[in-house]
Amino acid sequence: MKVLLKGRDLMDAGPAQSVSCTFFVPGRAEPERKRQVPPRGAFRGARVDTPKARDYKARIALCARDAMGYRAPFDGPLRLEWVEYRQRTSTYRKSDRYPFRRPDCTNIQKLLEDAMTGIVWRDDAQVCEIVSQKRFVETDQAPGLQVHVRSLL
C-alpha cells in the first residue's frame, strides 16, 4: 500500500493493520459479582470481585492478550459481539431453545469489558455497539465465551 509519510515520497508501508480481534475463552462464563469488604479502622471498606469472577477476568485477559499479539489497544468507536456457549443442565427442558436463567448477559458483559480494558481497547466507553447472546453448546462444542471486537470506522 502506498502512503505519504510526513512529506516524503510515496513509500511502501505494507498491508494495513486490521482493526478486529477474535478469541475464545474456554470454560463456564462467570458473571461480575462484587462483595462488600467491611470497614476496619480508617479503612472505609470497598466492593471487590469475588474470587471466581477475578479468576475468570484473568482468563479473559490472557486470551485477549494472546489474540492481540503485539498490537496496541484499539482507538475509536468499536463493536463488541460475544456469545456464551453453555451446557444444557437438568434445569432446562429439552424444548427450551435458549438458556434464559442466570447469569445475566449484562453481568457477563461488565466482566468482559473490564477484563479487556487496556488490552483490546483503551477505555470501555469506546464500545458503541454490543451484540450479546447466550446459546446451548452442540454435542461437539466446548462451553465458553466467543468474543469478536471490530472497528466501526
Side-chain angles (χ1 to χ4, degrees), residues 25-97:
V25 183
R28 184 170 184 253
E30 287 293 328
E32 180 170 70
R33 290 199 179 118
K34 302 277 187 183
R35 64 182 174 88
Q36 185 70 35
V37 176
R40 290 188 196 136
F43 178 67
R44 295 184 179 185
R47 292 183 54 83
V48 297
D49 288 329
T50 60
K52 280 185 178 181
R54 185 178 57 238
D55 292 345
Y56 197 68
K57 192 183 283 191
R59 193 180 325 159
I60 292 170
L62 181 68
C63 293
R65 270 191 211 98
D66 187 44
M68 287 294 288
Y70 294 102
R71 294 183 289 178
F74 300 142
D75 285 320
L78 300 169
R79 176 184 173 101
L80 169 64
E81 301 172 18
W82 63 269
V83 182
E84 181 210 359
Y85 294 102
R86 59 170 46 189
Q87 296 282 347
R88 183 183 294 269
T89 61
S90 60
T91 58
Y92 292 102
R93 296 185 301 266
K94 290 186 181 188
S95 60
D96 289 339
R97 295 180 57 198

Side-chain angles (χ1 to χ4, degrees), residues 66-139:
D66 187 44
M68 287 294 288
Y70 294 102
R71 294 183 289 178
F74 300 142
D75 285 320
L78 300 169
R79 176 184 173 101
L80 169 64
E81 301 172 18
W82 63 269
V83 182
E84 181 210 359
Y85 294 102
R86 59 170 46 189
Q87 296 282 347
R88 183 183 294 269
T89 61
S90 60
T91 58
Y92 292 102
R93 296 185 301 266
K94 290 186 181 188
S95 60
D96 289 339
R97 295 180 57 198
Y98 300 101
F100 54 86
R101 294 192 174 87
R102 291 178 185 245
D104 307 4
C105 282
T106 54
N107 289 338
I108 295 171
Q109 181 180 312
K110 282 187 260 182
L111 189 77
L112 190 61
E113 288 177 348
D114 288 347
M116 294 194 306
T117 298
I119 299 169
V120 177
W121 48 63
R122 297 192 190 287
D123 184 20
D124 55 4
Q126 291 174 246
V127 179
C128 297
E129 289 184 8
I130 299 169
V131 177
S132 57
Q133 299 176 28
K134 294 192 304 185
R135 302 273 185 217
F136 288 121
V137 294
E138 301 299 324
T139 55

